[in-house]
Amino acid sequence: SPTGKFGFHVATCDGKMAHTVEWEESWAVFYRKLLVGVCKLDLETNGPWPELERATEQVATKVIPRLLGTLQTEGRKIKPCIIHGDLWEGNMGINLETGYTLLFDAGSYYAHNEMELGHWRCEFSSVFRSKIYTRHYLRNYPAAEPVSEFDDRNRLYSIKGAINYCAGHPGSILRKT
């Protein structure tokens, strides 16, 4: 990142939903703001759901600090990396003339690189949900310490993608999963 922080210098979107991308030094703080912003959009689109609102509060105040706060403590550092922000097979194609893979509909920002894999866990991702893609990614970009918490972080990152999908698709059954 040009600032060494997480975020982006202009607003970006995931589908039609705007990301909360103001610069933050702390990944845990950035992700909390991003997730809470998406949850607010979902409530505006799909109406109140007290259980989801309580769960969001617990995730924001307990889970995020616990799982993501540790990434930048005890001498650990994570480098803010530019990510696509909405990477799943619906946003890729093949150039028929060159055979090269094309990625489109990016909602980029500087994030923890593992954030990119969250979408692959969501139900709307049919191809990338296969564990082979995550295994291949991790061969090239190993999981951050603590490695034993990678799957928990991945599940946490997938929540943003799933709730954002629901906010952009009113009445989606994905909201109940």
Side-chain angles (χ1 to χ4, degrees):
S1 133
T3 66
K5 298 178 180 180
F6 302 96
F8 209 65
H9 64 282
V10 295
T12 64
C13 297
D14 183 342
K16 66 180 183 178
M17 312 312 291
H19 285 134
T20 303
V21 293
E22 290 82 24
W23 295 111
E24 289 290 342
E25 289 189 25
S26 164
W27 171 242
V29 170
F30 178 85
Y31 183 76
R32 180 182 54 77
K33 289 181 177 180
L34 181 69
L35 181 63
V36 167
V38 166
C39 290
K40 285 181 183 176
L41 291 171
D42 176 70
L43 291 172
E44 290 169 10
T45 301
N46 290 301
W49 186 7
E51 293 87 354
L52 177 61
E53 294 169 56
R54 284 193 298 277
T56 299
E57 178 66 21
Q58 289 291 309
V59 168
T61 61
K62 305 279 192 236
V63 177
I64 291 172
R66 167 56 192 83
L67 280 179
L68 304 186
T70 60
L71 294 170
Q72 293 177 287
T73 60
E74 300 177 11
R76 292 185 198 110
K77 295 182 182 197
I78 53 173
K79 179 182 177 183
C81 299
I82 191 80
I83 65 169
H84 181 280
D86 190 15
L87 186 58
W88 66 292
E89 60 271 8
N91 287 337
M92 65 172 285
I94 304 294
N95 180 318
L96 295 177
E97 292 179 17
T98 65
Y100 292 136
T101 301
L102 302 171
L103 301 176
F104 45 85
D105 195 20
S108 298
Y109 50 94
Y110 290 90
H112 179 210
N113 66 294
E114 291 176 10
M115 177 70 183
E116 195 77 272
L117 306 179
H119 270 65
W120 297 3
R121 191 175 193 131
C122 294
E123 289 187 30
F124 59 77
S125 182
S126 57
V127 175
F128 288 161
R129 284 186 84 193
S130 170
K131 301 267 187 221
I132 189 128
Y133 292 100
T134 299
R135 281 196 307 268
H136 186 72
Y137 181 94
L138 292 173
R139 266 191 253 142
N140 293 284
Y141 304 97
E145 291 292 339
V147 174
S148 62
E149 296 179 355
F150 169 79
D151 192 59
D152 295 326
R153 290 190 303 268
N154 182 251
R155 186 179 310 277
L156 176 62
Y157 295 154
S158 77
I159 294 170
K160 183 264 178 190
I163 293 177
N164 188 83
Y165 183 90
C166 296
H169 299 86
S172 170
I173 188 135
L174 205 62
R175 193 175 195 228
K176 301 292 183 186
T177 58

